[in-house]
Amino acid sequence: MTDDRTKPPEGERGEGSADPSTPQTDFWRPGHGPDVTSFGMDSGPGAALLDVPDDVLDPEEEPEPDPLELGADRVVRIGSGQGFWGDWQEAPKLQVRRGAIDYLMLDYLAEITMSIMQKQKERDSEAGYAKDFVTLMAELAPDLMERDVKVVSNAGGVNPTGCRAALGQALASHSLRRRPRVAVVHGDNLMDSLDDLIAAGHELRHMETGEPLSTVRDRVASANAYLGAESIVTALRQEADIVITGRSTDTALTYGPLIHEFGWAVDDWDLIAKGVVAGHINECGCQASGGNSLVDWRQIDLTVPGYPIIEAKGDGSFIVTKHPDLDGRVTWATVSEQLVYEMGDPQDYITPDVIADFSSIKVQDLGDDRVRVTGARGRRRTDQLKVSIAYHDGYKATGSLTYAWPDAYEKAERANEILRGRLEYLGLEFDEIRTEYVGAGACHGHLAGPPLDDLPEVTLRVGVRSQDRHSVTRFTRELAPLILAGPPSVTGFAGGRPRVQDVVAYWPALIDREVVEDGVTVETISL
């Protein structure tokens, strides 16, 4: 669940790491029938055409085929099992065991995840991958082999080979119907070649500031290019049962299998774009099947949720659904909320394999946890890949104290004044000091308005950041004294001093795709 898109060539508007100053357009436009949504931009900002009669169609629009025709062609079912590293471990088990799927996709990576894994590998050369994945696969292996369900995952992080080796050890004592073939994708990790790339003229400039990477080269912690679907397709053609990638784009974990199954041409931009939309819906796990949904969240039972399943056809149309005996909900609302998540410019959703136009998508609620998605268009892919780089940018620490009624907010405010005064008295300087009053507007800031007079409790949370570790360490020692040398009615200090942490900053950059793709390899073996 991450921003894995590139910037378009000069003259095209990009999506993903776009300039934050670029104005965003409100493109939400339900239309053409009460249950169909077209994510169009032709009606202007804020337009909302609800309950348009079925006979009102744009003159140039082709009528959609009857939903009953969906059963005429072969369907490939791809279940989403993980939306991030730390997601619910039971979800993939339920996807495999509670109904029919052909593929299980597991997305573990975000920008910060790569730097965490890189630090783990620096401490232990055999680490650097999602260990949860190994445990999960060891438990699910008999079911996967029995049901012929293939797995596609980016759990390899910065050490896909180590991930496969650990999986081999975990499966060594398993009695299986057959030994699984496991593919590893290499080539996304650019750390070892970073200096050579810079020397060869690849400046890896920050996509927002334009600064060359050389300005922070000595502090770089990880550097990984986002790969598309080609390596996944290669692995599946090598008859892999489990595909382990490093920094693959999240959406490719879904549309890679579709390219393989349906034989889509890599330059059939419309078909690939449809696959990208399917992958975008699948990539965040339960978020498309009722989780984190603003619509009817009180009524959606998420105790044992069914994660989304994509039922795709060769023409690129697909239905989003879930296993019927599990909780959660798949509706027009849940799918639409996921479609606009991390979208940026809806007409320029840029991936390594295609530029997808989300403004042409149509969403139709068929009822019974079945939502049909059609209409995505695509354009030629860019000649560059995005590189996710993480670098060390100083140190930080965050601590908190909770103040109780009466006058909870005023007490927290006064404690903040005292703390800042003491830091100044000690001569400590920070790049940033940030104060939040949890329970009194921390989420909405000034938009929350003045705090209520009778708040039962308010948590004071203060964070600092600095290049000087000593200053941050000294800050961590200044919260506890407020317990007795500060305002009354305080609690929440049993956890001890805050922990000093490295600040890991994000550096998005672009690189010519052939520089990376020429070094990508796929190795498939039986375990």
mmCIF file of all heavy atoms in Angstrom, residues 96-123:
data_model
loop_
_atom_site.group_PDB
_atom_site.id
_atom_site.type_symbol
_atom_site.label_atom_id
_atom_site.label_comp_id
_atom_site.label_asym_id
_atom_site.label_seq_id
_atom_site.Cartn_x
_atom_site.Cartn_y
_atom_site.Cartn_z
ATOM 1 N N VAL A 96 -7.743 -18.480 1.020
ATOM 2 C CA VAL A 96 -7.411 -19.767 0.401
ATOM 3 C C VAL A 96 -8.392 -20.859 0.815
ATOM 4 O O VAL A 96 -8.801 -21.690 -0.012
ATOM 5 C CB VAL A 96 -5.968 -20.171 0.762
ATOM 6 C CG1 VAL A 96 -5.666 -21.587 0.288
ATOM 7 C CG2 VAL A 96 -4.971 -19.178 0.165
ATOM 8 N N ARG A 97 -8.810 -20.842 2.066
ATOM 9 C CA ARG A 97 -9.562 -21.981 2.614
ATOM 10 C C ARG A 97 -11.076 -21.848 2.529
ATOM 11 O O ARG A 97 -11.781 -22.848 2.633
ATOM 12 C CB ARG A 97 -9.155 -22.190 4.077
ATOM 13 C CG ARG A 97 -7.713 -22.630 4.251
ATOM 14 C CD ARG A 97 -7.275 -22.550 5.699
ATOM 15 N NE ARG A 97 -5.906 -23.050 5.868
ATOM 16 C CZ ARG A 97 -5.178 -22.877 6.968
ATOM 17 N NH1 ARG A 97 -5.697 -22.226 8.003
ATOM 18 N NH2 ARG A 97 -3.948 -23.364 7.041
ATOM 19 N N ARG A 98 -11.587 -20.634 2.329
ATOM 20 C CA ARG A 98 -13.033 -20.451 2.408
ATOM 21 C C ARG A 98 -13.707 -20.287 1.056
ATOM 22 O O ARG A 98 -14.890 -19.943 0.984
ATOM 23 C CB ARG A 98 -13.341 -19.242 3.299
ATOM 24 C CG ARG A 98 -12.834 -19.379 4.716
ATOM 25 C CD ARG A 98 -13.538 -20.475 5.499
ATOM 26 N NE ARG A 98 -14.807 -20.009 6.022
ATOM 27 C CZ ARG A 98 -14.974 -19.412 7.206
ATOM 28 N NH1 ARG A 98 -13.928 -19.206 7.989
ATOM 29 N NH2 ARG A 98 -16.152 -19.032 7.613
ATOM 30 N N GLY A 99 -12.978 -20.515 -0.008
ATOM 31 C CA GLY A 99 -13.582 -20.402 -1.332
ATOM 32 C C GLY A 99 -12.536 -20.538 -2.417
ATOM 33 O O GLY A 99 -11.349 -20.706 -2.144
ATOM 34 N N ALA A 100 -12.995 -20.455 -3.655
ATOM 35 C CA ALA A 100 -12.110 -20.685 -4.798
ATOM 36 C C ALA A 100 -11.411 -19.403 -5.219
ATOM 37 O O ALA A 100 -12.055 -18.389 -5.477
ATOM 38 C CB ALA A 100 -12.915 -21.239 -5.972
ATOM 39 N N ILE A 101 -10.081 -19.435 -5.269
ATOM 40 C CA ILE A 101 -9.287 -18.387 -5.899
ATOM 41 C C ILE A 101 -8.171 -19.066 -6.692
ATOM 42 O O ILE A 101 -7.806 -20.208 -6.421
ATOM 43 C CB ILE A 101 -8.683 -17.383 -4.892
ATOM 44 C CG1 ILE A 101 -7.747 -18.085 -3.901
ATOM 45 C CG2 ILE A 101 -9.768 -16.613 -4.169
ATOM 46 C CD1 ILE A 101 -6.985 -17.118 -3.001
ATOM 47 N N ASP A 102 -7.656 -18.352 -7.676
ATOM 48 C CA ASP A 102 -6.550 -18.867 -8.484
ATOM 49 C C ASP A 102 -5.204 -18.328 -8.013
ATOM 50 O O ASP A 102 -4.187 -19.017 -8.101
ATOM 51 C CB ASP A 102 -6.757 -18.493 -9.956
ATOM 52 C CG ASP A 102 -8.063 -19.037 -10.505
ATOM 53 O OD1 ASP A 102 -8.217 -20.273 -10.531
ATOM 54 O OD2 ASP A 102 -8.937 -18.232 -10.897
ATOM 55 N N TYR A 103 -5.223 -17.083 -7.532
ATOM 56 C CA TYR A 103 -3.999 -16.424 -7.082
ATOM 57 C C TYR A 103 -4.268 -15.730 -5.744
ATOM 58 O O TYR A 103 -5.378 -15.249 -5.481
ATOM 59 C CB TYR A 103 -3.529 -15.358 -8.082
ATOM 60 C CG TYR A 103 -2.966 -15.905 -9.360
ATOM 61 C CD1 TYR A 103 -3.810 -16.225 -10.428
ATOM 62 C CD2 TYR A 103 -1.595 -16.095 -9.520
ATOM 63 C CE1 TYR A 103 -3.298 -16.732 -11.620
ATOM 64 C CE2 TYR A 103 -1.073 -16.595 -10.702
ATOM 65 C CZ TYR A 103 -1.925 -16.910 -11.739
ATOM 66 O OH TYR A 103 -1.414 -17.407 -12.915
ATOM 67 N N LEU A 104 -3.229 -15.679 -4.931
ATOM 68 C CA LEU A 104 -3.244 -14.918 -3.690
ATOM 69 C C LEU A 104 -2.135 -13.876 -3.788
ATOM 70 O O LEU A 104 -0.964 -14.217 -3.944
ATOM 71 C CB LEU A 104 -2.986 -15.843 -2.499
ATOM 72 C CG LEU A 104 -2.878 -15.191 -1.120
ATOM 73 C CD1 LEU A 104 -4.227 -14.607 -0.688
ATOM 74 C CD2 LEU A 104 -2.376 -16.194 -0.083
ATOM 75 N N MET A 105 -2.521 -12.586 -3.763
ATOM 76 C CA MET A 105 -1.506 -11.546 -3.793
ATOM 77 C C MET A 105 -1.316 -10.986 -2.385
ATOM 78 O O MET A 105 -2.268 -10.804 -1.631
ATOM 79 C CB MET A 105 -1.860 -10.429 -4.782
ATOM 80 C CG MET A 105 -3.121 -9.617 -4.489
ATOM 81 S SD MET A 105 -2.993 -8.362 -3.193
ATOM 82 C CE MET A 105 -1.842 -7.232 -3.929
ATOM 83 N N LEU A 106 -0.046 -10.759 -2.027
ATOM 84 C CA LEU A 106 0.305 -10.299 -0.691
ATOM 85 C C LEU A 106 1.227 -9.097 -0.821
ATOM 86 O O LEU A 106 2.356 -9.222 -1.303
ATOM 87 C CB LEU A 106 0.996 -11.419 0.095
ATOM 88 C CG LEU A 106 0.206 -12.728 0.240
ATOM 89 C CD1 LEU A 106 1.109 -13.825 0.801
ATOM 90 C CD2 LEU A 106 -1.004 -12.532 1.128
ATOM 91 N N ASP A 107 0.753 -7.935 -0.391
ATOM 92 C CA ASP A 107 1.508 -6.696 -0.510
ATOM 93 C C ASP A 107 2.041 -6.307 0.864
ATOM 94 O O ASP A 107 1.269 -6.075 1.792
ATOM 95 C CB ASP A 107 0.595 -5.594 -1.061
ATOM 96 C CG ASP A 107 1.297 -4.258 -1.198
ATOM 97 O OD1 ASP A 107 2.546 -4.246 -1.154
ATOM 98 O OD2 ASP A 107 0.611 -3.235 -1.350
ATOM 99 N N TYR A 108 3.361 -6.239 1.000
ATOM 100 C CA TYR A 108 3.992 -5.962 2.287
ATOM 101 C C TYR A 108 4.714 -4.619 2.344
ATOM 102 O O TYR A 108 5.103 -4.195 3.430
ATOM 103 C CB TYR A 108 5.007 -7.066 2.622
ATOM 104 C CG TYR A 108 4.387 -8.381 3.030
ATOM 105 C CD1 TYR A 108 4.090 -9.352 2.078
ATOM 106 C CD2 TYR A 108 4.102 -8.662 4.361
ATOM 107 C CE1 TYR A 108 3.530 -10.568 2.450
ATOM 108 C CE2 TYR A 108 3.539 -9.871 4.742
ATOM 109 C CZ TYR A 108 3.257 -10.817 3.788
ATOM 110 O OH TYR A 108 2.687 -12.008 4.157
ATOM 111 N N LEU A 109 4.944 -3.976 1.217
ATOM 112 C CA LEU A 109 5.942 -2.912 1.206
ATOM 113 C C LEU A 109 5.351 -1.511 1.117
ATOM 114 O O LEU A 109 4.358 -1.275 0.435
ATOM 115 C CB LEU A 109 6.910 -3.114 0.033
ATOM 116 C CG LEU A 109 7.675 -4.431 0.028
ATOM 117 C CD1 LEU A 109 8.632 -4.460 -1.146
ATOM 118 C CD2 LEU A 109 8.427 -4.638 1.348
ATOM 119 N N ALA A 110 5.992 -0.587 1.829
ATOM 120 C CA ALA A 110 5.787 0.848 1.680
ATOM 121 C C ALA A 110 7.174 1.483 1.634
ATOM 122 O O ALA A 110 8.183 0.804 1.842
ATOM 123 C CB ALA A 110 4.966 1.406 2.840
ATOM 124 N N GLU A 111 7.224 2.794 1.367
ATOM 125 C CA GLU A 111 8.521 3.445 1.233
ATOM 126 C C GLU A 111 9.376 3.256 2.497
ATOM 127 O O GLU A 111 10.542 2.897 2.437
ATOM 128 C CB GLU A 111 8.338 4.942 0.943
ATOM 129 C CG GLU A 111 7.905 5.262 -0.474
ATOM 130 C CD GLU A 111 6.408 5.143 -0.671
ATOM 131 O OE1 GLU A 111 5.703 4.750 0.289
ATOM 132 O OE2 GLU A 111 5.928 5.430 -1.777
ATOM 133 N N ILE A 112 8.759 3.460 3.657
ATOM 134 C CA ILE A 112 9.516 3.363 4.901
ATOM 135 C C ILE A 112 9.916 1.916 5.185
ATOM 136 O O ILE A 112 10.943 1.657 5.820
ATOM 137 C CB ILE A 112 8.687 3.943 6.068
ATOM 138 C CG1 ILE A 112 9.536 4.070 7.339
ATOM 139 C CG2 ILE A 112 7.464 3.100 6.341
ATOM 140 C CD1 ILE A 112 10.659 5.050 7.225
ATOM 141 N N THR A 113 9.116 0.959 4.683
ATOM 142 C CA THR A 113 9.407 -0.451 4.942
ATOM 143 C C THR A 113 10.761 -0.846 4.380
ATOM 144 O O THR A 113 11.499 -1.625 4.989
ATOM 145 C CB THR A 113 8.311 -1.344 4.332
ATOM 146 O OG1 THR A 113 7.030 -0.816 4.670
ATOM 147 C CG2 THR A 113 8.425 -2.764 4.849
ATOM 148 N N MET A 114 11.107 -0.327 3.220
ATOM 149 C CA MET A 114 12.361 -0.700 2.593
ATOM 150 C C MET A 114 13.553 -0.283 3.436
ATOM 151 O O MET A 114 14.531 -1.038 3.577
ATOM 152 C CB MET A 114 12.462 -0.081 1.196
ATOM 153 C CG MET A 114 11.318 -0.460 0.256
ATOM 154 S SD MET A 114 11.162 -2.247 0.021
ATOM 155 C CE MET A 114 12.634 -2.593 -0.932
ATOM 156 N N SER A 115 13.486 0.902 4.023
ATOM 157 C CA SER A 115 14.607 1.355 4.847
ATOM 158 C C SER A 115 14.702 0.540 6.130
ATOM 159 O O SER A 115 15.806 0.255 6.617
ATOM 160 C CB SER A 115 14.452 2.847 5.179
ATOM 161 O OG SER A 115 13.261 3.093 5.896
ATOM 162 N N ILE A 116 13.562 0.156 6.694
ATOM 163 C CA ILE A 116 13.574 -0.703 7.887
ATOM 164 C C ILE A 116 14.233 -2.037 7.568
ATOM 165 O O ILE A 116 15.081 -2.542 8.322
ATOM 166 C CB ILE A 116 12.142 -0.906 8.418
ATOM 167 C CG1 ILE A 116 11.560 0.405 8.924
ATOM 168 C CG2 ILE A 116 12.119 -1.971 9.513
ATOM 169 C CD1 ILE A 116 10.100 0.330 9.288
ATOM 170 N N MET A 117 13.849 -2.610 6.435
ATOM 171 C CA MET A 117 14.408 -3.901 6.047
ATOM 172 C C MET A 117 15.900 -3.783 5.745
ATOM 173 O O MET A 117 16.675 -4.695 6.032
ATOM 174 C CB MET A 117 13.654 -4.452 4.839
ATOM 175 C CG MET A 117 12.238 -4.897 5.159
ATOM 176 S SD MET A 117 11.380 -5.522 3.695
ATOM 177 C CE MET A 117 9.905 -6.235 4.443
ATOM 178 N N GLN A 118 16.315 -2.662 5.157
ATOM 179 C CA GLN A 118 17.729 -2.458 4.866
ATOM 180 C C GLN A 118 18.539 -2.398 6.159
ATOM 181 O O GLN A 118 19.633 -2.973 6.253
ATOM 182 C CB GLN A 118 17.926 -1.174 4.060
ATOM 183 C CG GLN A 118 19.363 -0.934 3.608
ATOM 184 C CD GLN A 118 19.828 -1.953 2.591
ATOM 185 O OE1 GLN A 118 19.077 -2.364 1.724
ATOM 186 N NE2 GLN A 118 21.089 -2.371 2.705
ATOM 187 N N LYS A 119 17.999 -1.738 7.180
ATOM 188 C CA LYS A 119 18.680 -1.675 8.469
ATOM 189 C C LYS A 119 18.776 -3.062 9.097
ATOM 190 O O LYS A 119 19.799 -3.415 9.694
ATOM 191 C CB LYS A 119 17.935 -0.718 9.397
ATOM 192 C CG LYS A 119 18.089 0.753 9.032
ATOM 193 C CD LYS A 119 17.259 1.633 9.922
ATOM 194 C CE LYS A 119 17.739 1.607 11.349
ATOM 195 N NZ LYS A 119 17.006 2.568 12.214
ATOM 196 N N GLN A 120 17.717 -3.848 8.946
ATOM 197 C CA GLN A 120 17.753 -5.216 9.467
ATOM 198 C C GLN A 120 18.832 -6.033 8.772
ATOM 199 O O GLN A 120 19.557 -6.798 9.414
ATOM 200 C CB GLN A 120 16.388 -5.879 9.270
ATOM 201 C CG GLN A 120 15.286 -5.307 10.137
ATOM 202 C CD GLN A 120 13.933 -5.929 9.851
ATOM 203 O OE1 GLN A 120 13.716 -6.531 8.790
ATOM 204 N NE2 GLN A 120 13.000 -5.797 10.770
ATOM 205 N N LYS A 121 18.964 -5.847 7.464
ATOM 206 C CA LYS A 121 19.967 -6.606 6.717
ATOM 207 C C LYS A 121 21.379 -6.177 7.081
ATOM 208 O O LYS A 121 22.315 -6.993 7.067
ATOM 209 C CB LYS A 121 19.729 -6.447 5.215
ATOM 210 C CG LYS A 121 20.595 -7.378 4.375
ATOM 211 C CD LYS A 121 20.333 -7.224 2.900
ATOM 212 C CE LYS A 121 21.221 -8.168 2.095
ATOM 213 N NZ LYS A 121 21.040 -7.994 0.634
ATOM 214 N N GLU A 122 21.549 -4.888 7.395
ATOM 215 C CA GLU A 122 22.867 -4.422 7.811
ATOM 216 C C GLU A 122 23.295 -5.089 9.113
ATOM 217 O O GLU A 122 24.482 -5.364 9.317
ATOM 218 C CB GLU A 122 22.839 -2.901 7.974
ATOM 219 C CG GLU A 122 22.728 -2.146 6.647
ATOM 220 C CD GLU A 122 22.502 -0.662 6.850
ATOM 221 O OE1 GLU A 122 22.428 -0.233 8.037
ATOM 222 O OE2 GLU A 122 22.380 0.071 5.855
ATOM 223 N N ARG A 123 22.329 -5.364 9.984
ATOM 224 C CA ARG A 123 22.639 -6.044 11.251
ATOM 225 C C ARG A 123 22.773 -7.549 11.073
ATOM 226 O O ARG A 123 23.525 -8.205 11.800
ATOM 227 C CB ARG A 123 21.549 -5.731 12.285
ATOM 228 C CG ARG A 123 21.504 -4.281 12.719
ATOM 229 C CD ARG A 123 20.630 -4.109 13.953
ATOM 230 N NE ARG A 123 19.239 -4.460 13.683
ATOM 231 C CZ ARG A 123 18.306 -3.579 13.353
ATOM 232 N NH1 ARG A 123 18.616 -2.295 13.241
ATOM 233 N NH2 ARG A 123 17.068 -3.964 13.144
#
